Amino acid sequence: MMNKSIYSQIIASKTGLQIPVLQNGKTIESRYNPEREAESQLLNFEKEINFFLIIGIGSGILIKKIHDCFENAKIIAVENSICDIEFLKKIPLVKELSLSKDIFLCSRENLSQTLCQNYLPALHGNLKLYENRVWINENKACFEEIQRQISDSLAKISADFSVQAHFGKIWQSNIMKNLKLAARLNCNIKRDASKKKAAVIAAGPSLDKTIEMLKGGEYFIIATDTAFSSLLKQGIIADAVLSLDGQTVSYNHYMHKMKEELKNTVFYFDLSSNFSAAKKIYDSKLKICYFSSGHPLSNIAREYSKNSILSLYSGSGTVTITALDLAVKYGFTQIDIFGADFSYSEGKAYSRGTYLDTLYSISSFRKQTEEGLFAKLMFRTELIEGKKGRYSTKVLESYKESLENYLKSMNLNFVNSDDLYRIKLENNQMLPAQIQKFNYEGFIKELKSKVKGSYVILLPYIAWLRKKMNFAPCSFEFLCKVAEESLLSYN
């Protein structure tokens, strides 16, 4: 059954512009001169704004004025329902606006998706919200839902932008250095066919209770970098190890001496992950394989040479999901995930044997104990109390949600009992047996042609620039030029 529109009819204003009438007989715009009213509202909009969110489409005249006045603007205009939008498209101006590539007319049901897909702070800068008060007064119930969606979406976008602003420069530097190293690599990634099950190993506290299960030899073991040293200290050699983090601290996962037993282990590094860690593995004459998990520059490199760079999923940025995706693409029909607690339990943040044990032990003294350092780590953000003395955070809960959304999106049957995920699936092997050397020189030539006019490649670095005080007031075009020059300085 089709929803009833909040509008009843379309009338002509005194100036001849068609405007919609609400069911209660009111209009959300002036019946006399809606054009002049829109121009008056436009005076409150700062000239540097490039992204607008309009509550209440109405006749479309305000949207038209914004589109004409702000050359590079993107505009999202929201109505209560699709039914309302279809009604408003009977107005020729609204119909015309709906065909523009820079204007998105959406209902409250798809507002979050539309906003998250189109608003890029690194590109657009600040967002301007315009709320039509008459429309809001007549639609208070749905406006509360719109407010919630805007708040949740902007929080998500802001968190993503903050990560890009923090890591944008590091990522770009790591990618270019890692690609140069990839030009030296050949890697055989065939898995041991005798092992029918895969174990994905995260470093949650529950790993201490289940680690003995990994010593029987039945599993093909895929370890996250944090869990790698925990396994090694228990005499367990992983078949594959994954690194995703671009920070220098990631090097600490590989501080210990690389053993001869690791000669058959394949170390998978995201192109944006810490270059020093990858170089340590390379210098130890161990196997390296690079993958791309979503950075636009990494994706360009993978598209250029698909036989050199794998594609793995990272979800919200937790390496556990990426390790799981690798297990799926290896073709295993049963995958168990160990240590994916996504919480702190028994006063512990991680399992025993991670690099933090070593660092905190070295850093401890009488007034700063090892236990105190771990407590500081756990209490750095607000904790959410769970069952049986467990504590989590919003970030950890988002990781868990992302992991389980991945499982559902892949239609994978799974159960989670006592922090042990058990997954069954069909064989779907997609990994090549051999990874070839990356053609770095050829890619640089390709990159010089692609980067011209392709701002998407540069967005993470531009996000980093926008957070720098001396670049904050600069135009997007200028930031693009700076980011482009930085990128092409690698050769």
Side-chain angles (χ1 to χ4, degrees):
M1 180 175 166
M2 183 175 289
N3 294 329
K4 184 179 180 181
S5 174
I6 64 172
Y7 298 101
S8 61
Q9 60 177 315
I10 296 168
I11 64 172
S13 70
K14 293 294 183 182
T15 57
L17 183 73
Q18 290 189 334
I19 59 175
V21 181
L22 295 165
Q23 290 288 346
N24 60 9
K26 296 180 181 180
T27 61
I28 69 172
E29 295 155 305
S30 169
R31 290 174 183 255
Y32 294 92
N33 195 332
E35 294 94 339
R36 185 172 63 191
E37 181 183 51
E39 288 169 359
S40 175
Q41 291 161 347
L42 212 60
L43 296 175
N44 298 317
F45 296 170
E46 300 88 347
K47 288 297 182 183
E48 63 271 16
I49 298 297
N50 288 309
F51 201 97
F52 296 83
L53 179 55
I54 311 296
I55 310 298
I57 294 172
S59 69
I61 186 60
L62 178 60
I63 301 170
K64 171 68 173 170
K65 295 287 185 182
I66 293 172
H67 187 254
D68 290 346
C69 241
F70 296 82
E71 184 179 354
N72 299 314
K74 295 280 187 181
I75 305 167
I76 294 178
V78 187
E79 276 293 335
N80 180 45
S81 68
I82 295 294
C83 179
D84 295 326
I85 294 174
E86 291 305 314
F87 180 91
L88 294 174
K89 282 184 181 179
K90 295 175 184 177
I91 300 173
L93 178 56
V94 176
K95 178 69 173 178
E96 176 189 336
L97 294 172
S98 71
L99 301 176
S100 171
K101 62 180 178 61
D102 297 320
I103 298 171
F104 308 91
L105 308 183
C106 72
S107 67
R108 62 186 171 92
E109 287 87 354
N110 58 16
L111 172 58
S112 290
Q113 182 181 5
T114 305
L115 188 54
C116 289
Q117 286 180 348
N118 293 285
Y119 177 44
L120 303 170
L123 170 60
H124 302 116
N126 294 330
L127 175 149
K128 175 67 176 179
L129 174 64
Y130 172 78
E131 301 172 339
N132 185 298
R133 300 314 304 176
V134 179
W135 190 97
I136 290 170
N137 289 337
E138 301 305 321
N139 296 280
K140 290 180 180 178
C142 73
F143 178 61
E144 289 179 2
E145 169 63 16
I146 287 171
Q147 282 184 309
R148 186 193 65 76
Q149 288 197 45
I150 292 173
S151 178
D152 290 350
S153 299
L154 291 181
K156 182 178 179 181
I157 292 168
S158 176
D160 186 52
F161 177 71
S162 294
V163 172
Q164 291 187 34
H166 186 75
F167 293 109
K169 184 178 181 180
I170 298 172
W171 285 340
Q172 181 168 292
S173 175
N174 282 335
I175 290 169
M176 299 308 291
K177 290 176 181 177
N178 281 321
L179 285 173
K180 188 174 285 190
L181 182 59
R184 309 181 201 173
L185 304 176
N186 275 318
C187 182
N188 186 325
I189 60 172
K190 287 183 179 179
R191 69 177 177 87
D192 186 347
S194 66
K195 296 179 180 179
K196 305 301 182 185
K197 297 194 295 183
V200 171
I201 316 300
S206 68
L207 181 62
D208 292 338
K209 299 177 181 178
T210 55
I211 198 166
E212 292 297 321
M213 297 171 61
L214 301 171
K215 294 182 178 180
E218 65 174 317
Y219 286 108
F220 183 93
I221 296 175
I222 302 174
T224 62
D225 48 10
T226 309
F228 169 57
S229 56
S230 295
L231 297 178
L232 205 57
K233 289 174 182 178
Q234 291 288 323
I236 300 171
I237 305 299
D239 296 284
V241 180
L242 273 90
S243 284
L244 198 65
D245 193 351
Q247 299 178 92
T248 305
V249 71
S250 295
Y251 181 82
N252 293 312
H253 297 306
Y254 307 103
M255 285 191 301
H256 38 66
K257 184 178 180 181
M258 296 294 117
K259 300 181 179 181
E260 172 66 21
E261 294 94 321
L262 294 168
K263 65 181 181 180
N264 293 321
T265 300
V266 180
F267 292 83
Y268 292 84
F269 286 92
D270 191 304
L271 281 172
S272 62
S273 64
N274 180 253
F275 170 71
S276 296
K279 185 67 164 51
K280 169 72 179 290
I281 298 301
Y282 176 80
D283 290 342
S284 300
K285 296 181 170 51
L286 298 175
K287 297 177 182 178
I288 296 178
C289 182
Y290 281 109
F291 65 90
S292 168
S293 66
H295 190 289
L297 179 56
S298 294
N299 288 343
I300 291 292
R302 181 179 58 80
E303 289 170 7
Y304 173 76
S305 183
K306 293 182 179 179
N307 294 326
S308 302
I309 310 295
L310 299 177
S311 175
L312 295 177
Y313 180 75
S314 68
S316 58
T318 172
V319 69
T320 303
I321 298 178
T322 310
L324 172 59
D325 193 48
L326 178 64
V328 170
K329 289 175 179 174
Y330 258 122
F332 288 98
T333 57
Q334 182 173 328
I335 303 169
D336 296 341
I337 308 178
F338 294 75
D341 303 17
F342 302 111
S343 62
Y344 306 136
S345 60
E346 300 179 8
K348 295 190 295 183
Y350 293 101
S351 60
R352 290 192 301 270
T354 69
Y355 77 96
L356 288 172
D357 286 352
T358 303
L359 288 185
Y360 286 177
S361 176
I362 294 172
S363 303
S364 66
F365 54 92
R366 187 174 179 179
K367 293 185 178 181
Q368 180 177 275
T369 64
E370 188 175 345
E371 291 80 3
L373 290 168
F374 272 111
K376 185 178 180 180
L377 171 68
M378 288 186 284
F379 285 92
R380 60 185 168 173
T381 57
E382 184 179 353
L383 296 181
I384 302 168
E385 187 171 1
K387 298 178 181 178
K388 300 179 182 179
R390 287 183 173 234
Y391 293 88
S392 187
T393 66
K394 288 184 178 180
V395 172
L396 290 174
E397 289 188 341
S398 72
Y399 287 164
K400 181 175 182 178
E401 181 181 1
S402 186
L403 174 68
E404 295 192 354
N405 284 343
Y406 168 87
L407 291 167
K408 292 170 185 174
S409 70
M410 298 288 286
N411 295 317
L412 303 180
N413 296 317
F414 71 96
V415 293
N416 179 13
S417 177
D418 296 327
D419 302 308
L420 180 60
Y421 283 83
R422 296 189 183 276
I423 305 159
K424 291 186 178 180
L425 64 158
E426 299 294 326
N427 188 310
N428 191 30
Q429 187 169 356
M430 291 179 276
L431 292 181
Q434 188 76 22
I435 297 296
Q436 299 175 3
K437 290 181 180 180
F438 183 75
N439 182 358
Y440 183 79
E441 291 183 2
F443 174 68
I444 292 297
K445 292 178 181 178
E446 178 87 0
L447 186 61
K448 288 179 178 178
S449 64
K450 279 186 175 293
V451 76
K452 300 293 182 183
S454 180
Y455 64 81
V456 174
I457 301 173
L458 307 170
L459 282 180
Y461 191 88
I462 291 171
W464 178 81
L465 287 174
R466 281 198 183 276
K467 286 295 184 179
K468 302 301 169 186
M469 190 173 297
N470 53 327
F471 286 109
C474 297
S475 67
F476 180 73
E477 290 73 19
F478 179 79
L479 296 178
C480 266
K481 184 177 179 181
V482 173
E484 181 182 317
E485 289 174 355
S486 173
L487 178 59
L488 297 181
S489 66
Y490 296 91
N491 52 53

